Amino acid sequence: MTDLQSKPLIDLDAARTHALDRAHVFHSWSAQDLIDPMVVTRAEGSWLWDGDGAKLLDFTSQLVFTNLGHQHPRVVAAIQEQAATLCTVAPSYANAARSEAARLIASHTPEGLDRIFFTNGGADANEHAIRMARLHTGRQKVLSTYRSYHGGTQLAVNVTGDPRRWPNDSASTGTVHFFGPFLYRSEFYATTEAEECARALEHLEHLVAMEGPQTIAAIMLETIPGTAGIMVPPAGYLQGVRDLCDRHGIVYIADEVMCGFGRAGRWFAVEDHGVVPDLLTFAKGVNSGYVPLGGVAISAEIAATFGQRPYPGGLTYSGHPLACAAAVATIRAMEDEQVVEHAARLGRDVIGPALHDLAARHPWVGEVRGTGVFWAIELVADQQTREPLAPYGGSSPAMGAILAACREEGLLPFANFNRVHVVPPLTISDEDVLAGIAMIDRALTRAHAAH
């Protein structure tokens, strides 16, 4: 072997990696001069190693997408095998990886959502779902909740309700926002889940009436809002939205980019609510993010709209063979290893009880909520007034202290505003998830004592 052949393609030296990043990489959602990105050198299962060699328990699943954990051998092997056979092909041609991925996805989506349009991620999945809804109905407006995130592209970030929309809001995308149910911070002065559900549905019905139902193409909802706070909708809410859409010919789009593919303890979170949307968007967990992939699962009625009429949209890499091969391996591994069942048990028997025990002992914890491997710890300065520990859309020294303490404990935490989310890989062991929650426990104690 020559020296050239034996030399690694990429220099893995952590210091060089960091220096090149700071010289050349433009990071998303960041002030470029104020960040100091952590170098990740390798990862395995629920753990990763930073540039200093420290081992960290990944309680983020990165951006909540490594559902099978890092470096799952079946998915890595599938990518390698596909690369040796057919690395890429234009979307106009059929290929085995894409066809099998579509079949497997459709085998788990709610009944009737049997046609799959592939995208490169969640934002463009939501963009295309809205485009399909508008073309199907001949209407333009899209309704979504304030506490939501639907992606970073222009339309998707305008459909988004949370503060990431504010600097990008063009006020020209035909989007209208409303308040979804969230009992802990109720906009409707509700005191029970049943009241919150009824009043939130009444609010939405009034909004539809005021906007003109004949002008509304779609209502887009994250089945369980993710980075906006992991608020599981109350019983009956999604059915009420489904009924409202049916009365007015509005397309119901379920955004399951984050909560789908087992994250909520079901293949798709809508299963717990007995409703079938007209369009369902997915990404992230479909192949654990090993190669970018997203898509839209489409009802027969909407698919028929484009039976004799071309759908005016597409992507160069739609259904990319490497991404689809990763999806095939991911879904088969999830089936064979009973990953969804494991996630449901973890939430019910391990994470939920441990977090409720933690909440009972910490004055900064206002509420814990979630399902499956999808939980949020709502942090407050005062449990009586429920004042957030950090402002909506911002951070605070107290939150910074908690996150720093988590890192010192050996945990990579996921935080947004005044919340710490518990979103490790679905494959995490009972022992590791309890160890991670214990790290959060100690971090809260240390940070509270310092403040």
Side-chain angles (χ1 to χ4, degrees):
M1 183 178 291
T2 67
D3 290 343
L4 184 61
Q5 289 172 319
S6 62
K7 184 178 180 180
L9 180 65
I10 299 172
D11 188 335
L12 299 180
D13 177 75
R16 184 174 189 272
T17 297
H18 188 273
L20 291 176
D21 179 283
R22 294 296 68 227
H24 301 293
V25 177
F26 192 96
H27 283 258
S28 57
W29 307 114
S30 301
Q32 304 304 304
D33 296 342
L34 304 181
I35 59 173
D36 183 22
M38 181 181 81
V39 174
V40 176
T41 57
R42 66 187 182 95
E44 183 177 348
S46 300
W47 298 84
L48 54 79
W49 286 259
D50 70 12
D52 297 322
K55 183 180 179 181
L56 297 167
L57 182 58
D58 186 359
F59 251 40
T60 72
S61 295
Q62 298 308 288
L63 290 175
V64 197
F65 59 70
T66 54
N67 286 10
L68 283 186
H70 296 277
Q71 301 302 112
H72 192 288
R74 291 177 63 171
V75 185
V76 172
I79 295 168
Q80 293 170 333
E81 180 182 332
Q82 184 64 43
T85 304
L86 181 68
C87 273
T88 191
V89 68
S92 55
Y93 303 105
N95 73 87
R98 187 190 301 138
S99 296
E100 181 64 3
R103 182 192 73 80
L104 283 169
I105 293 165
S107 74
H108 291 291
T109 52
E111 186 176 358
L113 301 182
D114 295 330
R115 301 295 291 274
I116 308 299
F117 177 80
F118 285 109
T119 67
N120 300 323
D124 47 353
N126 287 331
E127 293 256 355
H128 281 279
I130 291 169
R131 188 182 305 185
M132 291 174 188
R134 285 172 166 171
L135 291 166
H136 176 71
T137 62
R139 307 170 182 175
Q140 285 298 307
K141 287 180 187 172
V142 180
L143 275 54
S144 60
T145 62
Y146 279 107
R147 295 183 186 274
S148 68
Y149 180 71
H150 297 288
T153 51
Q154 182 62 14
L155 175 56
V157 82
N158 274 263
V159 178
T160 289
D162 84 10
R164 283 167 285 191
R165 168 177 52 87
W166 299 347
N168 298 292
D169 196 334
S170 62
S172 64
T173 54
T175 58
V176 179
H177 295 94
F178 61 94
F179 291 109
F182 181 22
L183 182 60
Y184 187 75
R185 299 195 180 281
S186 177
E187 298 289 339
F188 312 109
Y189 305 98
T191 57
T192 66
E193 290 283 358
E195 282 183 350
E196 183 74 0
C197 178
R199 294 175 186 182
L201 286 171
E202 183 180 32
H203 160 67
L204 177 56
E205 188 157 359
H206 289 172
L207 181 68
V208 168
M210 292 297 179
E211 287 293 334
Q214 72 279 6
T215 71
I216 300 169
I219 296 176
M220 173 174 274
L221 291 175
E222 288 181 275
T223 304
I224 301 174
T227 51
I230 311 184
M231 297 88 75
V232 178
Y237 181 74
L238 295 184
Q239 185 60 59
V241 174
R242 174 75 275 180
D243 293 343
L244 180 63
C245 289
D246 288 343
R247 286 201 302 274
H248 298 295
I250 298 169
V251 172
Y252 171 19
I253 304 173
D255 178 346
E256 298 239 358
V257 168
M258 188 172 284
C259 64
F261 285 96
R263 177 58 59 179
R266 302 294 290 265
W267 278 94
F268 293 99
V270 288
E271 296 173 39
D272 270 334
H273 301 270
V275 298
V276 178
D278 301 297
L279 298 167
L280 183 148
T281 59
F282 61 86
K284 294 185 183 286
V286 66
N287 65 5
S288 289
Y290 283 30
V291 183
L293 184 69
V296 186
I298 308 166
S299 69
E301 182 182 0
I302 293 180
T305 297
F306 307 103
Q308 301 296 317
R309 164 191 178 188
Y311 173 63
L315 303 100
T316 298
Y317 306 119
S318 176
H320 194 282
L322 296 182
C324 287
V328 170
T330 295
I331 295 169
R332 288 179 177 168
M334 290 177 71
E335 294 171 343
D336 295 345
E337 299 169 20
Q338 296 188 306
V339 170
V340 178
E341 294 83 355
H342 179 68
R345 185 193 61 79
L346 276 179
R348 181 184 64 247
D349 298 340
V350 183
I351 301 174
L355 288 181
H356 283 101
D357 175 68
L358 177 149
R361 292 182 287 100
H362 286 283
W364 273 351
V365 178
E367 179 181 59
V368 296
R369 55 182 180 267
T371 184
V373 189
F374 202 37
W375 290 78
I377 305 170
E378 180 96 9
L379 298 170
V380 296
D382 186 297
Q383 290 180 339
Q384 298 305 311
T385 65
R386 301 185 178 182
E387 176 190 350
L389 197 59
Y392 186 65
S395 188
S396 68
M399 284 299 298
I402 292 168
L403 300 182
C406 283
R407 283 287 303 275
E408 291 166 5
E409 290 286 341
L411 185 79
L412 187 65
F414 187 109
N416 197 25
F417 308 155
N418 68 311
R419 300 179 309 276
V420 172
H421 292 190
V422 176
V423 285
L426 310 188
T427 50
I428 193 171
S429 67
D430 293 20
E431 294 76 17
D432 281 350
V433 80
L434 288 173
I437 292 171
M439 292 176 193
I440 296 173
D441 192 346
R442 293 192 295 269
L444 285 170
T445 298
R446 291 170 53 190
H448 188 265
H451 282 75

